[in-house]
Amino acid sequence: MPPRPRFDRRAPVRELPNINDRISYPNLRVVDADGSQLGVITREEALEVAKDRELDLVLVSEKADPPVCRIMDYGKYKFEQEKKAKEAKKKSHQTEVKEVKMRYKIDSHDYQVRIGQAQRFLKDGDKVKCTVIFRGREIQHTALAEVLLMRMAKDLEDNAEIQQPPKREGRNMIMFLSPRKAAAPKGSAKPAVSAAAEQAG
């Protein structure tokens, strides 16, 4: 039997940029660091100009005839490109739905913990599903659960707006909050709280 191939633990080969001595074309169209055209010159002349400026010769268009190079600070250029890529990634944040669970009898400390969790999720740009879980006969107290959820919406109104008001689903009551886009109107959640409290009374 032929020997089994060993697992190759070597790091994948990184594609190196075509700069300076890695550029092999004999003639190049060169753009100077200030954007001015140096015209078509030999590779050696282009490298000499870049060296005199204490900059790099970077291949920017291999398919052109002759290929186009630019004289620039490659380290700075690379840093700026990576910075732009990171900013673009931040802007394309995929919104997720994060859940915060509690009982309607939740104590003050645990409630503040849930508020803190929800605030973190909202600040990250995610939606929050607030869930009140009922056990056994607690299902009779849906009005109290609604009061709790609306209290949470009020406490989070600087960061959140109600996407879906409290609604019973099976043995749970849920409410969806989404990150706030505009300033919160003062007392916006009070009418719903008082209505739910009246039902509880």
Side-chain angles (χ1 to χ4, degrees):
M1 281 180 71
R4 289 175 66 185
R6 288 185 179 183
F7 180 72
D8 191 350
R9 287 187 174 82
R10 287 174 300 180
V13 177
R14 291 181 67 184
E15 193 174 322
L16 297 168
N18 285 318
I19 65 170
N20 300 328
D21 293 332
R22 295 197 195 103
I23 299 168
S24 57
Y25 299 100
N27 295 306
L28 304 163
R29 185 177 298 280
V30 180
V31 181
D32 207 346
D34 62 2
S36 61
Q37 298 282 339
L38 297 182
V40 178
I41 57 177
T42 66
R43 171 182 176 274
E44 288 70 24
E45 286 174 310
L47 286 168
E48 195 63 38
V49 173
K51 190 177 177 183
D52 288 346
R53 308 243 198 296
E54 295 185 347
L55 295 170
D56 301 296
L57 184 68
V58 181
L59 184 66
V60 292
S61 179
E62 198 169 3
K63 291 179 182 176
D65 185 22
V68 180
C69 288
R70 190 177 185 115
I71 293 170
M72 66 172 81
D73 180 340
Y74 182 72
K76 186 179 175 184
Y77 168 77
K78 190 180 174 189
F79 172 76
E80 285 173 355
Q81 291 299 107
E82 286 172 357
K83 191 177 173 185
K84 280 181 189 173
K86 280 181 185 174
E87 284 171 3
K89 193 175 178 183
K90 276 184 188 174
K91 285 177 184 173
S92 65
H93 171 78
Q94 295 293 313
T95 302
E96 294 179 35
V97 177
K98 302 290 181 71
E99 189 172 22
V100 174
K101 291 183 179 180
M102 56 196 157
R103 306 275 295 282
Y104 79 90
K105 294 178 181 176
I106 190 167
D107 65 42
S108 179
H109 170 74
D110 287 343
Y111 176 76
Q112 291 306 322
V113 170
R114 301 301 189 282
I115 288 288
Q117 286 175 337
Q119 281 176 332
R120 282 200 306 275
F121 296 149
L122 291 160
K123 283 176 183 175
D124 286 343
D126 294 316
K127 294 179 182 179
V128 178
K129 178 183 180 183
C130 308
T131 304
V132 177
I133 302 164
F134 300 110
R135 289 184 185 163
R137 294 185 180 179
E138 290 176 357
I139 198 76
Q140 298 168 14
H141 301 290
T142 54
L144 293 175
E146 188 174 343
V147 170
L148 175 64
L149 288 170
M150 293 310 299
R151 175 187 163 198
M152 182 172 249
K154 178 78 176 68
D155 290 342
L156 291 166
E157 69 178 353
D158 288 343
N159 304 107
E161 51 194 11
I162 298 173
Q163 183 184 350
Q164 180 190 298
K167 178 184 172 187
R168 186 176 151 191
E169 281 195 0
R171 298 196 68 78
N172 299 331
M173 181 167 277
I174 62 169
M175 172 181 72
F176 283 93
L177 299 176
S178 56
R180 181 171 286 286
K181 290 167 189 162
K186 291 288 180 186
S188 56
K190 280 183 180 174
V193 173
S194 56
E198 283 170 18
Q199 288 177 14

